[in-house]
């Protein structure tokens, strides 16, 4: 306000109302008024001539009000400019630097303000095209499986739906090719890239769901445990939820088959959260960090190398006594350690999620930490398995046991967001 007032062509003078024929000592009650005086006029003479400045006072108030409104409008414009510049700077930093740092302790949890809640992780054009190409290849493979199933069962309905899906995939491939051409021509048509990608990936998710519906016809021909879960896209809405919680455990063995070629990092195969602790038990490979096992927010780095697009069998065992852990890949122990959350039992009454990392109980998913790939035969025991038991699991032996805490059954999980189930083939290939 002061800066604006100094710029006015008038000066403000606070005067007392003179009583005729009186002196300063003769004043009884006094009244102060605000009078506008021209800048170069003598203050005393101006005072005598304008002892009752009604109109001047009104004019001055109006001028001051107008000045305040102008300054307020200027401030609002400056704030809007700052917001716009900040937004542009943030976008530039995101495109140039990616995820340069991680505010989460140990490279896991982000601050709430940095959380991606818009459905899928931001990607550049090359990453998007690569992801779409992988997804289309996955759909083609599943269609080939359906073709074989249809030939064996002579299903007219299956063939009709297969042809329709094949047509949709061909259309998607044309869209991908069109975007490649746009990139080669200098990106003139990619201003609405996020919107285009959203439409394409929405169609892909729909296709996955329709293929899944078609594959449900094969359930009668496979045991309930002979299935795999597929998470084709890195989103914050695709996941599977285990229907029951875990008991209190003083030891565990967790084993599964896993296949992924996601980069960077395969994401979070599973996370178990309990009230008051979102990281009670988590397996995660996020960004360029190695795969880690978290127990009560304590971390051990695991020597797994699995993102080569091939099926691998992995197991992690742990006991609360001294926090001793061991890691097995394809039936062979790859690493071990101790002091991982020693003497802390795994708490009961939590939520077990496949495919996402929980920041809150049963939710708070972050697309950047989502699992991308396939998993099968996820089992949990409340004891440490022997070397022979783990080897039987990794070689699909008929002697292999199922988990006594959680066993891999289609009826034991609920699927959300377009993740899909279909027949598990890895053990068939080994045998």
């Amino acid at each position: 306000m002061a800066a604006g007032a100094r710029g006015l062509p008038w000066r403000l003078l606070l005067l007392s109302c003179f009583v005729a024929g009186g002196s300063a000592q003769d004043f009884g009650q006094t009244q102060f008024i605000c009078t506008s005086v021209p800048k170069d006029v003598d203050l005393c003479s101006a005072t005598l001539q304008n002892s009752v400045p009604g109109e001047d006072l009104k004019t001055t108030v109006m001028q001051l009000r107008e000045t305040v409104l102008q300054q307020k409008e200027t401030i609002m414009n400056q704030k809007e400019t700052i917001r716009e510049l900040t937004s542009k700077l943030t976008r530039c930093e995101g495109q140039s630097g990616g995820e340069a740092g991680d505010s989460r302790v140990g490279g896991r949890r982000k601050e709430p303000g940095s959380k991606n809640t818009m459905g899928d992780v931001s990607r550049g054009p090359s990453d998007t095209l690569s992801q779409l190409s992988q997804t289309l290849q996955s759909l083609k493979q599943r269609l080939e499986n359906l073709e074989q199933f249809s030939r064996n069962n002579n299903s007219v309905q299956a063939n009709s739906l297969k042809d329709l899906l094949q047509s949709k995939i061909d259309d998607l491939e044309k869209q991908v090719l069109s975007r490649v051409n746009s990139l080669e021509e200098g990106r003139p048509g990619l201003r609405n890239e996020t919107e285009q990608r959203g439409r394409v990936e929405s169609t892909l998710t729909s296709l996955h769901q329709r293929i899944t519906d078609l594959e449900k016809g094969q359930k009668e021909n496979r045991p309930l445990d002979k299935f795999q879960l597929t998470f084709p896209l890195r989103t914050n809405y695709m996941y599977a939820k285990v229907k029951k919680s875990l008991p209190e455990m003083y030891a565990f063995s967790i084993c599964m088959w896993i296949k992924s070629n996601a980069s960077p990092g395969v994401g979070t195969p599973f996370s178990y959260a309990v009230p008051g602790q979102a990281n009670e038990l988590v397996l995660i490979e996020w960004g360029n960090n190695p795969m880690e096992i978290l127990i009560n927010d304590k971390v051990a780095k695991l020597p797994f190398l699995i993102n080569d697009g091939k099926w691998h069998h992995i197991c992690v065992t742990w006991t609360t006594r001294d926090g001793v852990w061991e890691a097995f890949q394809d039936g062979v122990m790859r690493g071990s350690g101790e002091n991982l959350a020693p003497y802390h039992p795994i708490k009961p009454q939590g939520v077990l999620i496949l495919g996402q990392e929980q920041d809150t109980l049963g939710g708070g998913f972050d697309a950047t930490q989502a699992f991308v790939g396939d998993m099968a035969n996820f089992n949990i025991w409340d004891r440490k398995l022997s070397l022979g038991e783990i080897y039987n699991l990794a070689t699909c032996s008929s002697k292999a046991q199922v988990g006594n805490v959680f066993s891999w059954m289609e009826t034991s999980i609920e699927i959300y967001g377009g993740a899909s189930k279909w027949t598990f083939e890895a053990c068939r290939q080994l045998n």
Side-chain angles (χ1 to χ4, degrees):
M1 174 68 74
R6 285 197 299 268
L8 292 173
W10 300 86
R11 291 185 299 180
L12 300 180
L13 179 64
L14 197 63
L15 299 175
S16 63
C17 181
F18 288 95
V19 179
S23 63
Q25 289 79 8
D26 295 328
F27 290 163
Q29 294 181 345
T30 60
Q31 180 180 10
F32 293 94
I33 59 174
C34 183
T35 306
S36 59
V37 180
K39 185 175 182 180
D40 298 325
V41 174
D42 181 73
L43 296 180
C44 295
S45 60
T47 301
L48 296 175
Q49 295 174 4
N50 297 289
S51 57
V52 185
E55 291 299 323
D56 289 342
L57 178 61
K58 183 177 179 181
T59 301
T60 301
V61 170
M62 294 301 294
Q63 289 173 340
L64 288 173
R65 181 177 297 175
E66 182 179 355
T67 301
V68 170
L69 292 175
Q70 289 175 350
Q71 288 185 334
K72 184 176 181 180
E73 183 178 358
T74 301
I75 291 173
M76 294 301 294
N77 291 337
Q78 289 174 343
K79 286 184 177 180
E80 184 63 32
T81 302
I82 291 172
R83 280 197 295 268
E84 183 178 353
L85 291 174
T86 301
S87 176
K88 289 181 178 180
L89 178 61
T90 301
R91 289 199 297 269
C92 290
E93 289 176 344
Q95 293 174 0
S96 62
E99 296 182 21
D102 179 13
S103 60
R104 186 175 181 180
V105 177
R108 283 159 297 281
R109 177 172 298 169
K110 289 184 172 184
E111 295 296 331
S114 64
K115 188 174 180 59
N116 183 337
T117 57
M118 298 305 295
D120 65 342
V121 65
S122 300
R123 295 190 289 267
S126 59
D127 293 335
T128 301
L129 294 175
S130 175
Q131 184 69 58
L132 287 174
S133 175
Q134 295 170 13
T135 304
L136 289 171
Q137 186 61 39
S138 172
L139 287 172
K140 283 186 173 183
Q141 180 62 46
R142 294 174 69 183
L143 282 173
E144 290 175 3
N145 294 337
L146 288 174
E147 279 184 329
Q148 182 64 38
F149 175 78
S150 299
R151 284 195 294 268
N152 294 340
N153 293 274
N154 195 23
S155 171
V156 176
Q157 181 181 4
N159 281 325
S160 175
L161 184 53
K162 175 186 68 62
D163 292 340
L164 178 61
L165 293 173
Q166 184 64 60
S167 174
K168 289 284 188 180
I169 289 178
D170 290 341
D171 290 341
L172 283 171
E173 287 186 313
K174 291 178 182 178
Q175 292 184 46
V176 174
L177 180 60
S178 174
R179 297 183 69 187
V180 171
N181 291 336
S182 297
L183 283 172
E184 292 176 347
E185 293 171 4
R187 297 176 56 113
L190 292 182
R191 293 181 179 177
N192 298 321
E193 179 186 330
T194 301
E195 181 180 351
Q196 293 174 13
R197 187 180 74 234
R199 287 198 301 266
V200 171
E201 293 185 352
S202 176
T203 304
L204 285 172
T205 301
S206 176
L207 278 175
H208 274 284
Q209 188 58 53
R210 295 177 69 179
I211 291 178
T212 300
D213 292 340
L214 180 58
E215 289 168 343
K216 287 180 180 178
Q218 304 178 44
K219 283 188 176 181
E220 294 78 6
N221 300 322
R222 75 174 184 226
L224 289 177
D225 62 333
K226 303 300 181 186
F227 75 101
Q228 68 188 51
L229 281 181
T230 297
F231 301 90
L233 302 174
R234 198 181 290 275
T235 73
N236 67 355
Y237 54 82
M238 285 188 185
Y239 65 99
K241 181 180 179 180
V242 173
K243 292 183 179 180
K244 69 174 185 177
S245 182
L246 302 181
E248 186 174 55
M249 295 189 297
Y250 294 84
F252 67 70
S253 296
I254 300 178
C255 301
M256 73 185 79
W257 284 91
I258 192 169
K259 181 175 74 170
S260 179
N261 58 2
S263 178
V266 303
T268 308
F270 74 86
S271 64
Y272 178 66
V274 297
Q277 178 52 277
N279 295 325
E280 182 67 8
L281 179 57
V282 182
L283 183 68
I284 184 171
E285 183 183 81
W286 186 46
N288 294 314
N289 302 304
M291 184 164 280
E292 299 172 337
I293 185 78
L294 283 74
I295 299 176
N296 192 33
D297 248 336
K298 306 303 186 294
V299 184
K301 299 183 183 299
L302 305 178
F304 292 149
L305 297 175
I306 57 175
N307 61 339
D308 55 3
K310 300 178 181 179
W311 279 107
H312 293 282
H313 187 265
I314 60 174
C315 277
V316 179
T317 69
W318 171 86
T319 61
T320 186
R321 183 180 176 85
D322 296 326
V324 176
W325 61 269
E326 294 177 341
F328 298 80
Q329 179 175 326
D330 300 325
V332 178
M333 189 169 72
R334 298 296 178 91
S336 63
E338 58 183 18
N339 202 35
L340 174 59
Y343 305 102
H344 170 83
I346 303 300
K347 296 178 181 178
Q349 307 304 317
V351 177
L352 180 58
I353 297 291
L354 306 180
Q356 295 284 354
E357 194 272 344
Q358 303 172 68
D359 280 344
T360 59
L361 188 64
F365 305 145
D366 186 339
T368 62
Q369 298 171 330
F371 174 72
V372 179
D374 306 295
M375 71 171 64
N377 287 17
F378 178 82
N379 286 274
I380 302 177
W381 295 259
D382 59 1
R383 63 182 178 85
K384 179 181 176 180
L385 295 183
S386 68
L387 294 175
E389 289 173 318
I390 292 175
Y391 182 79
N392 287 338
L393 290 166
T395 56
C396 300
S397 169
S398 59
K399 299 179 181 179
Q401 301 180 16
V402 297
N404 66 333
V405 170
F406 175 78
S407 60
W408 186 247
M409 300 286 286
E410 290 191 60
T411 55
S412 300
I413 61 174
E414 298 173 332
I415 298 176
Y416 298 90
S420 56
K421 281 188 282 190
W422 51 305
T423 304
F424 178 51
E425 301 288 347
C427 280
R428 182 182 300 179
Q429 295 170 1
L430 287 175
N431 295 328

